[in-house]
Amino acid sequence: MKKVKVNFTFQSRLLPENVNRKELKVSLTSIINFVLVYERTEINVINILFCNDSAIKEFNKRYLKHDYETDIITFKYDDEEITESDIIISLETVKRNSLAYKSSYLSELFRVIIHGLLHLCGMKDNTKGSQTVMRKKENYYLKLAGLIN
């Protein structure tokens, strides 16, 4: 299985000052490739947009008909030659969630990325049971990455 090409776009300067953007890109690319290999899912290109709450709310309204902000939205595009995906993440929601769940900012950011990847791998979270299964998988990958105990 070949490695996925990951493109990063930062719409605004919402990353905490202590987070090195270059190191973050390397770490996220590593966990993305690991999860996709482990889940046996091949995606050639993933475009990740980091934005604020108002931007993700607009994407949510326009494409999913939901009038609220969220932490992540994933889109998967398939054709015969390439599988591509867009992932949109609100860094403001990630920060709020890290405070609400008493986790580190980076752990929450990685959880959100893993959550989006699991959706791209075909997992759903539209029932209580499927949410529990997905949370267990998120924790599994976070533990493997050394981001939670």
Side-chain angles (χ1 to χ4, degrees):
M1 185 175 274
K2 65 182 179 179
K3 288 187 174 187
V4 65
K5 179 178 180 1
V6 184
N7 301 310
F8 297 93
T9 303
F10 292 84
Q11 186 183 47
S12 57
R13 297 190 177 271
L14 294 171
L15 281 177
E17 288 183 19
N18 64 335
V19 175
N20 180 297
R21 193 177 287 200
K22 186 175 182 179
E23 290 174 9
L24 179 64
K25 289 178 181 181
V26 170
S27 297
L28 288 173
T29 300
S30 294
I31 195 78
I32 288 167
N33 278 292
F34 181 80
V35 170
L36 292 177
V37 166
Y38 200 86
E39 294 293 323
R40 296 186 173 117
T41 301
E42 191 161 333
I43 298 175
N44 294 351
V45 178
I46 296 179
N47 303 301
I48 301 177
L49 170 64
F50 295 101
C51 64
N52 60 23
D53 281 348
S54 63
I56 204 164
K57 183 176 181 178
E58 283 304 311
F59 283 109
N60 214 7
K61 279 171 61 172
R62 180 180 301 149
Y63 297 106
L64 301 176
K65 309 298 184 226
H66 300 153
D67 191 14
Y68 53 85
E69 58 270 333
T70 186
D71 51 3
I72 187 167
I73 302 172
T74 58
F75 299 98
K76 186 175 181 182
Y77 315 106
D78 294 316
D79 65 26
E80 293 177 20
E81 297 176 17
I82 190 167
T83 302
E84 189 168 342
S85 170
D86 290 333
I87 295 176
I88 304 166
I89 297 171
S90 169
L91 294 176
E92 289 177 325
T93 301
V94 167
K95 183 176 182 177
R96 263 195 323 278
N97 288 348
S98 72
L99 296 171
Y101 299 127
K102 296 181 174 73
S103 65
S104 76
Y105 177 82
L106 287 178
S107 291
E108 188 61 24
L109 180 58
F110 275 80
R111 178 181 300 282
V112 167
I113 290 282
I114 292 166
H115 182 87
L117 291 171
L118 293 173
H119 277 303
L120 295 175
C121 294
M123 290 189 76
K124 305 268 189 241
D125 61 354
N126 52 351
T127 67
K128 202 77 151 153
S130 61
Q131 289 170 2
T132 300
V133 170
M134 190 173 249
R135 182 54 67 136
K136 285 181 181 179
K137 276 247 182 173
E138 291 168 14
N139 288 336
Y140 173 77
Y141 287 120
L142 287 168
K143 283 178 186 175
L144 284 178
L147 292 164
I148 64 170
N149 296 324

